[in-house]
Amino acid sequence: MKNSRIAGVGHYVPEKVVTNDDLAKLMDTSDEWIRERTGIRERRYYNPEKDTTANMGVKAARMALDDAGLQPSDIDFIVFATLSPDYFFPGPGVTVQEELGIDTIGALDVRNQCSGFIYALSVGDNFIKTGMYNNVLVIGSEIHSSGLDFSNEGRSVSVIFGDGAGAVVLSPSENNEKGILSTHLHSEGKFAKELCVVAPSSSGHERLTEEMMKPGGLIYPIMNGNYVFKHAVQRFPEVIGEALKHNGYSPQDVDVLIPHQANLRITKFVQDTMKLPEEKVISNIQKYGNTTAASIPIALSEAKQEGKIKENDLVCLAAFGSGFTWASALIRW
Ligand code: UT7
């Protein structure tokens, strides 16, 4: 069995910058509150005339393919993680196959919200390990801004999220000392209702009603923020520790930690718990907010562009979110 390695990374964020002051014009919030509670200064919102979750993913994918020195025709399989697909069904993976003009390869859609990218990476990694595929495209992309409640009722959720996309190309590693060393995936469905969007739903009530679309309605994300926060600060260090122990490493061996960009306070907590210096921990939530399945590949792509990831570095990815689901990946770059 061959390890897979990240052969190329890419990202795309929409041009429109929305500052905290812009949001304060829509709801009872302030730049000070948002910065203090989350670290976010601004986020990007999509352009309805040109951006979709799938085509933002395609843009990130093209950059990742260039970075890997590969053509779309070299890709054997697509894994697409999102909670905000273009259609209720089919998922956006098939649109990527079409837009990249690739032959009729398989396209799988992953629905694990903030942990979606690591789940998707794990799927791609294991297809390569078993020898079934050679090059796998893994994408995380989200458009949150069209589904947020900008009334006061939704303010604790809507100030957090932003739009964007990231992608990686996975290819076989030359040796098993390098590449994705392990992935660890977890879920605890009893907490599904602590962070969710209920409608449109296929069970229990009509799929979509006018009532559901009113401020505070079921089409908007519901989040028990404090509760999610408390679980996140426990699960992040736990799942990172699991990855390190599995591979015989300690926190001091980590060169770069890329956590899902949920909240800067959560990231700082994890950093302190693991006693990591700030320069080893990647944070870009200040610019993009929480982009769910896209946050890790966007941060990875930027970190690589900025020279923060070097050959042989031990890179750890970790995520926690709706489900609850949480996950980690340990990579020897
Ligand atoms: O991405 C995956 C999972 N998501 C997360 O990991 C998010 C985890 N949770 C969080 O990041 C935080 O809980 C939030 C940022 C969502 C909220 O921060 P918090 O420190 O937990 O605030 P809170 O919900 O306890 O609210 C504190 C106060 C409340 O007012 P009172 O009751 O103290 O008078 C809220 O009504 O802040 C108020 N508030 C706001 N004020 C201004 C809530 N949202 C806002 C807002 N602007 N946007």
Side-chain angles (χ1 to χ4, degrees):
M1 286 209 303
K2 271 189 179 170
N3 275 0
S4 76
R5 71 186 173 92
I6 296 181
V9 293
H11 71 282
Y12 168 81
V13 290
E15 287 135 36
K16 185 177 177 187
V17 175
V18 176
T19 64
N20 295 341
D21 286 334
D22 293 331
L23 292 182
K25 289 176 198 145
L26 305 173
M27 64 186 89
D28 184 12
T29 191
S30 65
D31 176 50
E32 193 189 3
W33 191 95
I34 301 170
R35 270 192 292 113
E36 274 179 13
R37 301 286 176 138
T38 71
I40 300 165
R41 292 171 183 274
E42 58 192 38
R43 72 286 292 138
R44 302 296 178 96
Y45 281 2
Y46 84 126
N47 176 348
E49 306 299 320
K50 70 170 203 188
D51 297 318
T52 69
T53 295
N55 78 23
M56 295 198 318
V58 168
K59 286 179 183 156
R62 287 194 194 282
M63 183 174 163
L65 282 162
D66 279 352
D67 191 40
L70 294 176
Q71 298 299 318
S73 56
D74 295 318
I75 296 297
D76 304 305
F77 194 66
I78 298 162
V79 194
F80 200 121
T82 188
L83 61 69
S84 49
D86 298 13
Y87 310 121
F88 196 80
F89 74 85
V94 296
T95 311
V96 175
Q97 176 269 330
E98 167 64 14
E99 288 197 13
L100 285 178
I102 313 177
D103 201 10
T104 57
I105 58 165
L108 175 74
D109 298 284
V110 165
R111 300 199 47 167
N112 289 85
Q113 299 71 245
C114 302
S115 311
F117 180 75
I118 298 182
Y119 268 75
L121 193 76
S122 179
V123 171
D125 173 46
N126 280 290
F127 271 131
I128 291 173
K129 278 204 174 88
T130 60
M132 180 144 172
Y133 296 126
N134 217 30
N135 298 312
V136 178
L137 183 57
V138 180
I139 299 173
S141 177
E142 305 284 4
I143 291 179
H144 280 298
S145 59
S146 57
L148 298 174
D149 178 358
F150 292 102
S151 74
N152 282 346
E153 239 174 299
R155 66 180 180 171
S156 68
V157 176
S158 49
V159 299
I160 297 178
F161 292 111
D163 305 339
V168 302
V169 174
L170 292 180
S171 300
S173 178
E174 304 93 61
N175 65 63
N176 279 358
E177 318 280 277
K178 284 199 166 188
I180 299 181
L181 305 178
S182 66
T183 53
H184 288 89
L185 313 175
H186 294 279
S187 70
E188 201 170 22
K190 69 180 173 192
F191 298 121
K193 289 183 180 161
E194 303 300 335
L195 174 49
C196 63
V197 173
V198 175
S201 155
S202 49
S203 56
H205 46 68
E206 286 178 76
R207 281 205 178 183
L208 199 57
T209 62
E210 270 183 43
E211 196 63 27
M212 291 174 188
M213 294 194 277
K214 289 183 181 158
L218 294 179
I219 65 159
Y220 297 113
I222 302 162
M223 178 163 73
N224 185 349
N226 282 307
Y227 201 74
V228 177
F229 195 102
K230 281 180 195 143
H231 281 258
V233 294
Q234 180 198 334
R235 294 304 191 187
F236 267 107
E238 197 179 281
V239 79
I240 295 166
E242 187 179 8
L244 293 173
K245 189 168 173 217
H246 181 85
N247 292 286
Y249 291 116
S250 66
Q252 288 66 45
D253 296 315
V254 173
D255 296 300
V256 182
L257 173 65
I258 305 184
H260 161 55
Q261 308 287 301
N263 181 322
L264 197 59
R265 279 160 58 217
I266 294 177
T267 298
K268 295 268 184 234
F269 195 96
V270 175
Q271 183 191 315
D272 290 348
T273 307
M274 293 182 60
K275 299 189 173 52
L276 289 178
E278 200 171 331
E279 59 274 14
K280 286 190 174 184
V281 183
I282 305 295
S283 288
N284 64 3
I285 192 171
Q286 301 88 334
K287 293 189 291 181
Y288 303 131
N290 178 341
T291 57
T292 311
S295 92
I296 290 177
I298 295 173
L300 185 63
S301 177
E302 285 197 337
K304 195 173 168 229
Q305 269 183 337
E306 290 161 13
K308 290 180 181 165
I309 301 178
K310 297 177 291 301
E311 182 86 22
N312 275 322
D313 273 355
L314 190 64
V315 179
C316 185
L317 315 180
F320 175 87
S322 161
F324 293 150
T325 59
W326 60 103
S328 61
L330 199 65
I331 303 162
R332 178 62 73 186
W333 204 267

